[in-house]
Amino acid sequence: MRSLLLATSAFVAISSPAFAARLPAEDQATSGTTTTAPVATEATTDTSGIGEIIVTAQRREESLQKAGLAIDAVTGNDLVQRGITSAADITKAVPSLSIPQPGGSVASIFIRGVGNITTSSYNDPAVTPSYDGVVLGRGGGVFGAAFYDLQRVEVLKGPQGILYGRNATGGAVNIIPARPEIGRNGMGFNVAFGNFDAVETDAHVNLATGANSALRVSAAYSAHDGYNRDGTDDLKRGSLRAQFLVEPSSDLSVRIGADYSHLGGRGAGGSYVGGFIPGPSGYTFFPAGLDTSEGFNTPAANAFRAHNLGAPAFAFLGAMNRDQRQDSTYWGVNAEINWQTGIGKLTVIPAYRESRDNSFFYGPAFNIANTNEKVKQGSLEARLAGKAGMLDYVVGGYYFNEKIKANNQYNQEFVLPIVDYQHKTDSYAAFGQLTAHVSDRFRLIGGARYTHDKKSIDGLINNFITFCGGPPPALLTPPASFAAGCATPGNMPYYPNFLNTGDTINWLVANRWIPGNSVDRPGYQVFPLVNGVGAILKTYNPVVDTRSYSRVTWKGSVEFDVAPASLLYATVESGYRAGGLQMTESRTSYLPEFITAYTIGSKNRFFDNHVQLNLEGFLWKYRDQQITYFTVDTSGTLISSNENAGRSTIKGFDADIVVKPARGTTLSAKVQYLDTRYDNLHLYTASPRDNFGCPFTYTGAVAGGAPVKDFNCSGNPLLFSPKWTVNLGAEQVVPMGGNLELVGSVSSAWRDSQWGAFEYLDFERIPAYWTTDVSLTLRSSAGTWALTAFVRNLEDKRRNLAPQASPLGMAVGHYSAPRTWGVRLSSNF
């Protein structure tokens, strides 16, 4: 960090007028909080240095360059120009961000290795997504479907424990839609067509409904065929948004918004990478021989499945029993009321959101999982911001309520877990932050937040488990299972996709797998197979629990204006994520996690606003990080469990450089160095779910008749934390005459190798890679229309960005998009 300060001082020195005179003097381009349509028509022949982005990350409007915190922001116009139409694509602009897509409807977001991979809706995200100022308890479909007609996206790095609606240990991603504009009538659209029968459209209209009111309506539709042969990795998404703004006086404004999104198609897919054969000395990997676009449900993929045994029946797996299908609906209403009073500006944000999901997905080499979930979320935030002498203050309160009702199944062919539960969260918080202007150039900032979370769960877990021979100690494993006929075709039942125990038992009786007098009763039951080869255990595990968690988080910061366009800042801030409850048989709760983050940074503009250099050094100390991985409970039943890791350390630096060396030329580079390490990470499991790449010792405990192993993964990096990340960009604007411009742009991102799963197996290490996008645009210099040809992923390489070790003994991958290309027509009038 000392070298960071030295570098900043050196640049401040060379930004003197003697150096600045060597570049053409041009006025600074600025933009306010109200923008025209975010369509790719913005003209820049009148280049006037590097433009400003106005952000509200500190609950006040300020230039990105004046915000003394670790933040990246991307304007709506830049999102369109770069083809960023979903949350997963924002990683093209923000090196610290990773959004793996392992399947299901719950988003997994990581910043600098902090995040969690899950398909369970009751897990709070470590990186909090927000839409239009409203924190989303579940970062699912609306988070991915909201990327149209936007003002900007803000990505805050590090704990957000003071001013944000719910504490986030890793950071926050804020999606901010374009607001209605009073006194303006206008409209705009983007429409694009490309390979894979891709269609990307969005449009908006802004109407001045009176002297002091305006209405803005926006809509979007996106679709493309699947990138995989089974039709998965497709897209079918539609969204609608409406906002009404009224300003009865100069002191009062009221904005009301509503939005609706639906996600259809087949959804995110993947392909088999290989499998593992257990042996006396561990597991031996064998490749699947399938390419990255095969998918999970093709003749070739199902033929690969048929060569793998499924425990504990030890019969060969069958084909997928149906196609994957995504059917998710999200809608919400929210308002923002701003009232300028004598003691400050009062802001009130009430919101209600609801989502429904009835989707089928393949999961990590399971057969078919079926989620039936309904989530209701209500929230209210109120804050007062004002000045008193040398002090600026923000004080406020926050309330969050969420109710989840779910009935899901996760079919593993010879194991059928059925979960039915209701989950409730109530969260209350009070917060405040003071900024003391010690002088015109020096500021001290301090803040604190008290948060109280109460969570409850009431549910039931039933597992139908087919055993070769019978439940332990009668269980037969290979090679004895082969001699008993368990692997003989037709000797073991393959479960259909049932959501309750009664239908499952009735099907087993009707198909003569179990005795005809078998009936469903509460409690554990064992049903012998009629053919005598094995038995079925039905488990019965109620999960009823209530837990409360409280924490005070705090922040201290100092800011110093070295020069009018140079800022130095240093911050120490704590973060907290509440513990929680989960639907597992023996581990129903987990503890809160905590983080303390130290940051020192500098933001600078040099050479008459033609060079921007932002630097940040950071050190994060993590304790009790919440992680999710497959393990077994005390009975040996497979569970996806949230656990608390010990301690970890995250450190590194970030450099952001933008240069405009000549009229119409913009060069940019974002570089991040990241060094992460689990200081204490132990993972516990037992055979046959014990394929980990870490050394182990025996604990002395037993799970399902097998000894429990303690895998010591300490010393490994955190997931999705590449050591080096580089984003490069170049844009050239060429005047063509006749009010036309030609714009060429190229952006390329390099990610160092990184780990993608907690087993730390070789195939879960994501190799380093480049991804390059290029575009060529012909547009009017007035900014009224543009025609763009684009190519994304010029290298045409599909990268396994979400590897998974399936509990069924297979290695699977979830891949990035192949090369895509197309043309886009944009207009704004």
Side-chain angles (χ1 to χ4, degrees), residues 3 16 90 240 296 300 482 485 572 595 627 697 717 745 805 809:
S3 57
S16 64
I90 198 68
L240 178 66
F296 289 130
F482 288 99
V572 57
I595 189 171
I627 65 174
T697 57
S745 65

Side-chain angles (χ1 to χ4, degrees), residues 736-755:
M736 301 294 291
N739 295 321
L740 294 178
E741 295 175 339
L742 190 64
V743 184
S745 65
V746 57
S747 60
S748 192
W750 186 74
R751 300 291 184 269
D752 210 342
S753 62
Q754 56 189 299
W755 289 101

Side-chain angles (χ1 to χ4, degrees), residues 490-506:
N491 274 0
M492 289 290 179
Y494 293 81
Y495 292 109
N497 306 314
F498 291 125
L499 289 167
N500 61 73
T501 56
D503 288 346
T504 307
I505 290 175
N506 290 341

Side-chain angles (χ1 to χ4, degrees), residues 143-424:
F143 183 53
F147 276 69
Y148 66 99
D149 193 29
L150 296 183
Q151 186 169 310
R152 66 185 178 277
V153 174
E154 300 176 357
V155 179
L156 287 77
K157 295 167 282 188
Q160 305 301 313
I162 309 301
L163 296 180
Y164 276 80
R166 295 201 71 197
N167 289 336
T169 47
V173 180
N174 304 328
I175 303 171
I176 302 168
R179 308 293 172 83
E181 299 177 66
I182 293 175
R184 177 179 178 271
N185 291 312
M187 59 190 305
F189 68 84
N190 298 285
V191 56
F193 300 93
N195 58 336
F196 294 97
D197 287 334
V199 178
E200 293 179 2
T201 64
D202 69 81
H204 78 273
V205 59
N206 191 98
L207 299 175
T209 55
N212 59 357
S213 63
L215 173 69
R216 190 179 189 100
V217 179
S218 311
Y221 177 78
S222 299
H224 63 70
D225 292 344
Y227 299 141
N228 299 327
R229 296 184 186 93
D230 62 358
T232 56
D233 281 346
D234 66 340
L235 178 63
K236 187 177 182 181
R237 182 178 64 207
S239 301
L240 178 66
R241 178 192 305 139
Q243 301 174 82
F244 180 71
L245 172 66
V246 59
E247 296 180 351
S249 70
S250 60
D251 293 331
L252 179 64
S253 70
V254 179
R255 183 172 57 88
I256 301 172
D259 64 272
Y260 172 89
S261 296
H262 181 263
L263 277 68
R266 295 193 176 177
S271 293
Y272 297 110
V273 177
F276 294 92
I277 301 174
S281 58
Y283 292 82
T284 302
F285 176 81
F286 64 94
L290 305 172
D291 66 23
T292 59
S293 299
E294 186 63 43
F296 289 130
N297 193 13
T298 65
N302 285 322
F304 172 75
R305 286 181 64 84
H307 289 88
N308 291 268
L309 289 173
F314 296 107
F316 289 102
L317 298 176
M320 294 293 182
N321 63 38
R322 61 158 293 159
D323 287 329
Q324 183 169 284
R325 185 200 72 191
Q326 184 168 11
D327 183 6
S328 305
T329 301
Y330 307 85
W331 66 270
V333 292
N334 61 284
E336 182 178 317
I337 304 164
N338 289 289
W339 181 27
Q340 189 66 48
T341 72
I343 59 173
K345 178 179 171 182
L346 177 65
T347 300
V348 180
I349 304 176
Y352 176 81
R353 300 207 62 85
E354 190 169 305
S355 66
R356 297 173 183 265
D357 182 54
N358 182 13
S359 298
F360 294 86
F361 64 99
Y362 297 138
F366 294 169
N367 202 290
I368 291 289
N370 180 201
T371 55
N372 290 269
E373 298 182 347
K374 183 176 181 179
V375 181
K376 297 180 179 180
Q377 169 189 322
S379 62
L380 176 65
E381 180 171 357
R383 60 180 184 267
L384 179 68
K387 295 178 65 70
M390 64 182 290
L391 296 177
D392 296 343
Y393 60 85
V394 180
V395 295
Y398 178 76
Y399 172 69
F400 175 88
N401 172 269
E402 181 185 60
K403 297 177 181 177
I404 304 172
K405 186 175 183 179
N407 180 201
N408 305 332
Q409 62 84 14
Y410 304 93
N411 192 340
Q412 300 160 38
E413 301 205 25
F414 307 115
V415 179
L416 179 64
I418 301 172
V419 296
D420 193 337
Y421 67 89
Q422 296 185 54
H423 184 279
K424 182 180 178 181

Side-chain angles (χ1 to χ4, degrees), residues 98 438 815:
S98 297
V438 180
Y815 295 88

Side-chain angles (χ1 to χ4, degrees), residues 443-479:
R443 296 170 296 280
L444 296 175
I445 303 167
R449 181 188 189 100
Y450 171 78
T451 302
H452 176 76
D453 294 289
K454 181 179 180 181
K455 298 184 177 184
S456 62
I457 196 167
D458 185 353
L460 177 64
I461 306 170
N462 293 115
N463 290 286
F464 286 87
I465 308 171
T466 305
F467 293 92
C468 178
L475 175 65
L476 299 177
T477 61

